[in-house]
Amino acid sequence: MSSTYDELNVRTTEEILKNNIYNLQEQLVNANKRVKSLADTLGNIIAMHKDIEYHLQGIEIYVHDIKGLLDEKG
């Protein structure tokens, strides 16, 4: 025999709070996954930036050397 309480599917405050906590935990897990993904992406971008800077420094050295050679001949 079910009561009117059961038929209306009324939840207690404790049930509502437990559900809210579960939902917040789920949101926190998803947020942490996004933060980790962004951190990984940022790490990759920083690594590429360092690599590009290294290559640009090499190009600057070559340009400097070529200018020096041209100045010597000129």
Side-chain angles (χ1 to χ4, degrees):
M1 178 171 142
S2 64
S3 67
T4 305
Y5 177 84
D6 292 335
E7 289 175 13
L8 294 174
N9 197 23
V10 177
R11 297 185 302 167
T12 65
T13 302
E14 182 180 347
E15 291 171 327
I16 292 169
L17 291 174
K18 282 181 180 180
N19 189 51
N20 287 346
I21 289 171
Y22 175 79
N23 289 338
L24 288 171
Q25 287 172 332
E26 212 174 297
Q27 290 175 21
L28 183 59
V29 167
N30 289 332
N32 283 339
K33 287 178 184 177
R34 288 193 305 262
V35 168
K36 184 182 180 326
S37 175
L38 288 171
D40 291 344
T41 300
L42 183 58
N44 291 337
I45 290 170
I46 289 171
M48 285 187 283
H49 180 264
K50 287 180 181 179
D51 193 41
I52 290 169
E53 278 185 334
Y54 175 77
H55 289 293
L56 287 174
Q57 288 172 354
I59 291 171
E60 287 175 4
I61 292 170
Y62 286 130
V63 168
H64 180 267
D65 290 347
I66 291 170
K67 283 182 180 179
L69 289 173
L70 291 174
D71 288 344
E72 285 178 7
K73 289 184 180 183

